[in-house]
Amino acid sequence: MILHERSVSGNCYKVRLLLSHLGLRYERRELTAASRQERSAVLGDLSPSLRVPTLVLDDGRALAESNAILWYLGEGTKYVPADRFARAQMLQWQFFEQYDHEPYIAVARHWLRYRGTPVDPAALAERQEKGYLALEAMERHLEKHRYFPREHYSLADISLYGYTHAAREGGFDLDRYPALLAWLERVKGEPGHVPLSA
Ligand SMILES: N[C@@H](CCC(=O)N[C@@H](CS)C(=O)NCC(=O)O)C(=O)O
């Protein structure tokens, strides 16, 4: 398998994290393209949005969207609950991650850490305000449960960990959330865990 990625991306890290948990071999291919046109040359037939992560299977089929890739790799493993309702709850948190969490936490991190152009303080404050709402929702859940969606580590934990663990780089104060901090440590202790920078 080939994983097209940007190594600093939390979305790409999610996929690498699951591949590591599963002990699967793959080749990493860093996306160096800058413009949309250049990305089209690399990913045009592979990813509808021309974004990474994009996984190309050994038979040539390609899959984009981090959470779709997690689902493909994770189905039938212990990272997907057997119970139908729990599976739907896992999906609930994965949709939450893409709609309520990543657009704020990942974007604030990108602006502050990687974009390299001046940040509009009002736009940043708006992203952070919404990002804090997502962190608060996670904290409320984690006050009652060890993982997402309940007591066992699942794909939803991987999805949420991708950017939550790096949220400080987006200017977020994680010390406000003791249950979330404990969860970050639990995730780090899962067998096969690798850091983003690995
Ligand atoms: N919803 C997508 C978002 C993917 C995404 O935003 N990827 C970014 C990197 S994190 C990307 O490819 N940006 C274009 C670029 O880096 O040139 C997913 O979950 O995979």
Side-chain angles (χ1 to χ4, degrees):
M1 287 185 288
I2 297 168
L3 179 64
H4 292 274
E5 64 163 353
R6 290 224 193 256
S7 50
V8 299
S9 154
N11 283 318
C12 300
Y13 172 50
K14 293 173 202 170
V15 176
R16 284 191 277 115
L17 193 46
L18 181 59
L19 284 163
S20 175
H21 286 312
L22 296 174
L24 295 174
R25 291 168 61 85
Y26 65 103
E27 180 192 327
R28 293 175 69 171
R29 213 169 273 182
E30 185 76 12
L31 183 72
T32 53
S35 67
R36 193 175 167 80
Q37 200 178 3
E38 285 174 299
R39 282 195 279 137
S40 181
V42 181
L43 298 172
D45 295 331
L46 309 177
S47 161
S49 63
L50 306 179
R51 289 176 191 274
V52 290
T54 297
L55 186 70
V56 182
L57 306 179
D58 290 339
D59 63 11
R61 288 178 299 166
L63 198 54
E65 292 294 328
S66 56
N67 288 342
I69 299 171
L70 292 188
W71 259 94
Y72 174 74
L73 295 171
E75 197 168 353
T77 74
K78 66 179 180 179
Y79 302 108
V80 173
D83 175 71
R84 179 180 169 192
F85 187 72
R87 270 200 309 280
Q89 283 183 314
M90 185 179 83
L91 262 183
Q92 169 203 291
W93 283 107
Q94 291 188 287
F95 284 115
F96 166 88
E97 183 265 338
Q98 283 286 290
Y99 192 80
D100 289 296
H101 181 287
E102 192 259 14
Y104 306 114
I105 295 176
V107 170
R109 171 180 180 258
H110 179 70
W111 287 355
L112 286 177
R113 181 79 196 267
Y114 298 104
R115 194 171 63 170
T117 54
V119 178
D120 171 2
L124 178 65
E126 196 185 324
R127 296 277 167 167
Q128 288 175 332
E129 191 185 325
K130 290 182 174 158
Y132 273 121
L133 293 179
L135 296 173
E136 281 160 23
M138 291 177 69
E139 178 73 5
R140 285 197 300 277
H141 176 84
L142 290 165
E143 281 166 356
K144 299 196 192 98
H145 304 286
R146 285 174 57 76
Y147 286 114
F148 295 90
R150 288 282 184 252
E151 312 312 328
H152 300 286
Y153 184 65
S154 81
L155 299 186
D157 293 285
I158 295 175
S159 297
L160 287 163
Y161 186 82
Y163 283 106
T164 305
H165 88 288
R168 285 192 176 94
E169 294 177 358
F172 293 92
D173 173 15
L174 294 184
D175 294 334
R176 299 181 191 178
Y177 306 115
L180 187 146
L181 289 177
W183 168 78
L184 290 176
E185 289 306 307
R186 277 197 293 281
V187 171
K188 265 201 250 174
E190 286 291 328
H193 181 87
V194 281
L196 186 149
S197 57

